Amino acid sequence: DRTAEPSRTRVLILIENLPLQRDARVTRQCRTLLEAGFEVTVICPASDEVMPSGLGRVRVIGYRCREATSVPGYIAEYAWAVLVMGSLTLREFLSPRRVDVIQTCNPPDVLALIAAPYRLVGRAYVFDHHDLVPELFEARYDGGHRFLDAAVRVAEWVGLRLATGVIATNDSVRHVALSRGGRAPEDVAVVRNGPEFARVAEAMKMHRPAKGDRKVAVWLGVMGPYDGVETIIEALAVAVHEAGRRDLYVTLIGDGERRGDVEALIDQLDLRDHVSLTGWVPQDEVISRVAGADIGLAPDPPGARLDHATVMKVMDYMAAGVPVVAFDSPETRVSVGEAGVFVEDHDPTAYAKAILGLIDDPEQLRDRGRAGRSRVERELSWEVQAQRYIRAIDDAFWHRSRRGAGARAELSSATGWSKSLFRRFRIQPEAKE
């Protein structure tokens, strides 16, 4: 009998890799929780950026951190995060304002170390599984650190096993929770990365920048080592210098550790007049900027990571009615469908040909843009996904006592825990294709 008032339920969300202002998924979750009557507190890296609209009642606790670029740096970053975020979490649990549900958002998976102890006292723990960290690690280091590769697999398993409930971004990630995490199907809910369609419609009423005769392609995201931004620049060089397309321009919305490398490549290939780097822009402005483009670019390289990932940027492109050019992968095809063109070969020349083939076909541009916008409105919008998210939080909260007892029994047996851990990770890593 779920008769308790939601306003008495407080959700604490932990984010390590981004400030709340930059995390579109978590800001949507926060709005949904507030609208449902929950109290929301977020612990995340501090930022002076403008908070997206509708989040005025979210209590944000920021801490200072430094973004890592190397293996020792990541170890130090995550150790610091566990120490500081763990201390702030303990302070919140000791405060008069009771915390009922704690949600961790990966990466990294080690945030489970902060949340797990509170299961022993009957609190609900929800693991929001954004990314597959073992696949991210392999994409970055190509299996060059076997010990750390095993460590990230253990961390993922611990996060999945200890959670009251798991939220997956798509069916591929859900399968990982069931197989690698050993979770029961009823414990894992799929909540996709859909844009808020009502906000998209409002943003698209804003003035679009005049393009004149220019053809504009847009990219949106974090400039990391596995996001493929350099591929865009190399493809642009093919289009401009080899195909003579002086009318083609690219707008890069976002920032990250590889921005310096991207700017150096732009200068090296003499493309300064064809590229605009905006840096981070407020979330409320993203769609209006995207809507001013002809096509959206998703250059994430093929591989195990992309095979399981829902690329968030393509949802924003589709919601704005902008067709997509992406490298082929199972999950990207599921998300994009008829709204995009897929490139089989991971090659800048092939990517450039796909861009030009789509951008020079007004009828195809129109049809694919409409298909994407319609698909988001009917199936992928956050308005649809929000119902699943609230149901997952609700289930975790109302079943926390039963699951908390299970956690106490599981964690109290050191022998059973160690045997389970070694049994799970005695297998060899999956062979690369």
Side-chain angles (χ1 to χ4, degrees), residues 115-367:
Y118 299 102
R119 285 205 61 199
L120 299 176
V121 292
R123 302 300 195 271
Y125 163 35
V126 176
F127 179 29
D128 193 13
H129 204 182
H130 293 190
D131 292 298
L132 300 182
V133 175
E135 281 74 8
L136 287 175
F137 191 84
E138 181 179 342
R140 177 184 283 263
Y141 297 110
D142 196 24
H145 297 270
R146 296 185 62 184
F147 173 78
L148 290 177
D149 178 70
V152 296
R153 290 179 179 275
V154 170
E156 177 190 71
W157 183 79
V158 170
L160 291 169
R161 290 294 297 174
L162 291 184
T164 313
V166 178
I167 298 175
T169 53
N170 57 45
D171 288 322
S172 294
V173 175
R174 181 176 187 269
H175 177 72
V176 168
L178 302 181
S179 57
R180 295 205 306 236
R183 296 309 302 251
E186 62 270 20
D187 292 338
V188 187
V190 174
V191 180
R192 299 180 67 89
N193 288 322
E196 296 166 288
F197 198 79
R199 288 180 173 273
V200 169
E202 185 66 27
M204 290 185 65
K205 295 177 182 178
M206 299 175 63
H207 175 68
R208 295 188 184 186
K211 300 192 296 286
D213 295 330
R214 296 189 303 171
K215 305 292 185 180
V216 178
V218 66
W219 173 87
L220 169 67
V222 178
M223 296 182 183
Y226 33 69
D227 293 285
V229 188
E230 289 93 338
T231 302
I232 293 177
I233 306 306
E234 292 168 351
L236 180 62
V238 172
V240 172
H241 298 313
E242 297 183 19
R245 294 302 299 266
R246 311 298 297 182
D247 61 336
L248 183 60
Y249 292 79
V250 171
T251 299
L252 303 178
I253 303 175
D255 211 329
E257 63 182 271
R258 297 297 286 269
R259 175 164 180 161
D261 297 329
V262 171
E263 291 192 282
L265 185 60
I266 291 170
D267 291 332
Q268 177 186 336
L269 298 178
D270 191 23
L271 294 171
R272 270 294 169 188
D273 293 336
H274 294 269
V275 183
S276 171
L277 293 93
T278 68
W280 294 113
V281 301
Q283 284 189 30
D284 296 336
E285 297 180 17
V286 167
I287 289 296
S288 60
R289 288 176 177 264
V290 169
D294 296 287
I295 62 172
L297 305 177
D300 307 69
R305 168 186 172 267
L306 190 61
D307 288 347
H308 294 87
T310 297
V311 183
M312 290 185 65
K313 62 176 70 70
V314 303
M315 299 293 185
D316 290 315
Y317 301 155
M318 293 164 61
V322 175
V324 182
V325 178
F327 287 114
D328 200 3
S329 76
E331 275 300 331
T332 304
R333 278 193 176 271
V334 168
S335 299
V336 176
E338 296 299 317
V341 172
F342 300 96
V343 183
E344 298 288 343
D345 299 325
H346 184 218
D347 174 69
T349 299
Y351 202 72
K353 289 180 179 179
I355 291 173
L356 295 177
L358 178 58
I359 214 165
D360 289 337
D361 188 339
E363 184 175 349
Q364 187 179 188
L365 277 175
R366 182 186 66 248
D367 292 345

